[in-house]
Amino acid sequence: MKKIIFLGLAVLLFAGCKKVLNPEPEDLKSLDQMYTDVNFAQGFLVTAYRNIPGYYDNSEYATDDAVTNQQNNTNANLRAYTELATGAWSSQNNPASVWNQSYEAMQYLNLFLENSNKVKWASDPEAARLFNLRMRGEAYGLRGLFMYYLLRNHGGIASNGQLLGVPIVTKYQDINAPFNLPRASFDACVKQIYKDLDSAEVNLPLEYNDISNNAQIPDRFKKYTGNFDTYNRVMGQYGRQLFNGLIAKVIRTRTSLLAASPAFQNAANPATWADAANNAAAIINYKGGVNALPATGVTYYANASEIDNLASGNNPSEIIWRENIVTNDATQENQHFPPTLNGANTTGAGYMNPSQNLVDAFPMANGYPIDNAASGYSAAAPYVGRDPRFAKYIIYNGATAGVSNTVIRTGSASGSDDGINARPGFSTRTGYYMKKRLRMDVNRNSVGANGKTHYNPRMRYTEMYLAYAEAANEAYGPTGAGTQGYSAYDVIKAIRKRALGLSADPYLEEVKGDQGKMRELIRNERRLELSFESFRFWDLRRWKVDLTKLNETVRGMDVNGTVYTPLNNVETRAYQNYMYFGPIPNSEILKYNMLLQNANWK
């Protein structure tokens, strides 16, 4: 794929003609050349892959989970979510927009789907048919993926009071196409996503694995080849990290969970929680059931041996889909290590500052919330006896971090650059630094500086378990099993047992008889397990939490010696009651009069 020639693709995309200008034929390719140049043909898919939104988008800066110390940085991208959260979010200023990149990707995908049957994918006819089948499956799946992001980020109640999605575009739009399209209904968009995912699943294996004999060829592919070597060439391990059938099931689950959520519950939307539960269950069942939750999933980002030994496109047990591994990398550490661990970095550090709000969401090690009388929580020693995930995900005052187990002092009187606001743009504003996503065996000091192997996830099994718990609780209650044989209670019990190591979970037993209390527990577990993974910004909106919750002021803690001083106003939020749904870009509204804006956006 690295050899794919991209020059000329943009011209093709918008020119809408078979023959493109010919002064430089080695640079500009005509559409006809796609049929004989496999690399060029694949380039349309690769470009779509490159447009997939990043997993770590740092939207936590706009929630009650964190702030950034980069609010005054001259780089607009670094302060974008801070500005969004503090009053500057508009249809003209929207860092959460995926509009342009998604429709651009779908243009490439649509052009690919309209022409892939004419491409000579291989000299072997069987392999050629399989290649075409697989890549068409990838294209359908990716189109469903981009439609999901568009629906999540831009769907909502429009200015006419209707629940709308986005324009559905399933044909390549040349210069003569009607670009002035209305938004389709939310339900129509959901159905289009499912339709594309159906096509993807028919064309793709669940996962790309080699087989060892002809009998192992999946039945639906036997009409294309009876030779397992041919199957492996196309559908085997060399395809790993390309779109597959399991990824399609994840997008189906995300879509159905979104559609069933309170913000989108509407007479014109027939989505049900049971649908979402069953979609998530299909992935849990494939994994092996409730008790197959990967044991190392809590620290997927720091399991050194597991990460360092990845090969042949394999995934860690927690990961469904990921980006490519990067060796000798320290990007995350350069950005997020506390200053004393980041001696080699002169441009910034400590970007992500977790909030006291998030810290308070971690229960005690016995599973009780800290405001429960049975928890044993002490305000005089607030970090003692906490949920083990707390120390794995957050660096707090007195914690050790880095290859030398450096003690981090975050107090304003600590005399250290790690102290609150000690060094703007480097030091914490809340009294905390993020530890999740980082490898503590990375050394960024000037002597012996090194990077380590990293990967960015795209989909994790834990997310699917949490999706089932949420949907099953809403559909059947805490202990109802529906058609799957296991309940929300069963899944949350497994998640908390993995995290807390409890043989008995008395708090879970207390709440399992109350759907509302179980809902709050499930949402809190989701908050903790998926913290700093760019979920909470959209979770709060699809749950349609009270506006006061959306605007919860970010708090911190200043610790000096044994004195704990709450910081009750680190950063305020300024969301309005229409900001449960993201806006359509104003530039599109100005261009197309049939495109309705979501209500009240300017």
Side-chain angles (χ1 to χ4, degrees), residues 97-388:
S97 176
V98 295
W99 191 275
N100 290 335
Q101 72 190 82
S102 297
Y103 279 112
E104 177 187 332
M106 289 194 290
Q107 276 278 69
Y108 283 105
L109 294 169
N110 289 338
L111 188 59
F112 178 88
L113 287 168
E114 290 173 14
N115 290 278
S116 75
N117 290 332
K118 301 175 186 178
V119 177
K120 185 178 179 180
W121 292 110
S123 56
D124 175 6
E126 290 187 352
R129 287 194 294 270
L130 277 177
F131 273 122
N132 187 46
L133 189 75
R134 190 199 77 198
M135 283 187 264
R136 289 183 69 82
E138 292 175 64
Y140 281 120
L142 287 168
R143 194 168 70 182
L145 172 68
F146 285 108
M147 181 61 81
Y148 161 75
Y149 281 116
L150 282 166
L151 196 61
R152 185 194 69 174
N153 292 30
H154 301 285
I157 302 296
S159 54
N160 65 355
Q162 295 181 355
L163 176 63
L164 297 182
V166 296
I168 295 175
V169 181
T170 58
K171 300 290 185 183
Y172 170 65
Q173 295 175 295
D174 63 18
I175 57 175
N176 298 312
F179 287 90
N180 191 8
L181 298 174
R183 294 169 63 182
S185 71
F186 184 90
D187 180 50
C189 290
V190 170
K191 286 183 169 61
Q192 179 60 46
I193 293 170
Y194 291 164
K195 182 179 179 181
D196 278 342
L197 297 179
D198 287 342
S199 297
E201 289 191 66
V202 167
N203 286 12
L204 299 171
L206 271 173
E207 295 192 84
Y208 295 104
N209 293 313
D210 284 351
I211 58 177
S212 57
N213 59 68
N214 294 341
Q216 293 177 334
I217 298 174
D219 289 341
R220 68 183 183 280
F221 298 120
K222 287 180 179 176
K223 63 182 177 181
Y224 299 98
T225 185
N227 186 318
F228 78 92
D229 283 328
T230 303
Y231 176 87
N232 287 344
R233 177 183 173 188
V234 182
M235 303 290 189
Q237 68 172 350
Y238 294 116
R240 288 174 181 164
Q241 305 317 324
L242 298 176
F243 198 102
N244 62 29
L246 189 59
I247 294 166
K249 291 183 184 298
V250 172
I251 299 168
R252 189 184 302 274
T253 300
R254 287 179 175 178
T255 301
S256 56
L257 191 72
L258 179 77
S261 295
F264 300 99
Q265 289 177 0
N266 186 284
N269 172 22
T272 68
W273 286 111
D275 289 340
N278 289 331
N279 289 334
I283 299 164
I284 294 174
N285 295 340
Y286 174 77
K287 185 63 174 174
V290 173
N291 294 323
L293 187 70
T296 59
V298 171
T299 52
Y300 70 88
Y301 55 92
N303 299 327
S305 177
E306 182 179 70
I307 297 170
D308 291 343
N309 291 305
L310 285 175
S312 302
N314 286 320
N315 284 328
S317 60
E318 169 64 18
I319 301 300
I320 296 171
W321 197 20
R322 61 173 172 82
E323 297 180 22
N324 291 333
I325 60 174
V326 182
T327 59
N328 194 29
D329 177 60
T331 302
Q332 290 286 329
E333 290 76 18
N334 279 340
Q335 292 180 352
H336 301 295
F337 264 171
T340 54
L341 298 184
N342 226 358
N345 184 8
T346 61
T347 59
Y351 287 7
M352 182 78 76
N353 304 160
S355 66
Q356 186 66 42
N357 317 52
L358 175 59
V359 170
D360 289 348
F362 286 90
M364 298 299 285
N366 61 11
Y368 281 97
I370 64 171
D371 60 357
N372 189 296
S375 69
Y377 172 77
S378 171
Y383 308 142
V384 176
R386 299 296 290 274
D387 177 339

Side-chain angles (χ1 to χ4, degrees), residues 278 468 476 481-486:
N278 289 331
Y468 179 83
Y476 318 120
T483 60
Q484 299 302 328
Y486 48 87

Side-chain angles (χ1 to χ4, degrees), residues 24-82:
E24 300 292 342
E26 69 276 12
D27 290 340
L28 298 178
K29 292 177 176 288
S30 71
L31 187 60
D32 290 339
Q33 288 174 272
M34 173 183 180
Y35 308 146
T36 55
D37 187 338
V38 171
N39 285 339
F40 182 55
Q42 282 182 306
F44 292 90
L45 280 182
V46 175
T47 300
Y49 276 109
R50 289 182 171 184
N51 273 18
I52 296 173
Y55 190 76
Y56 296 139
D57 69 9
N58 296 325
S59 56
E60 287 81 10
Y61 298 153
T63 74
D64 53 353
D65 274 1
V67 297
T68 182
N69 63 11
Q70 299 296 303
Q71 75 272 26
N72 295 319
N73 198 300
T74 55
N75 185 331
N77 291 330
L78 293 177
R79 64 176 193 270
Y81 274 105
T82 297

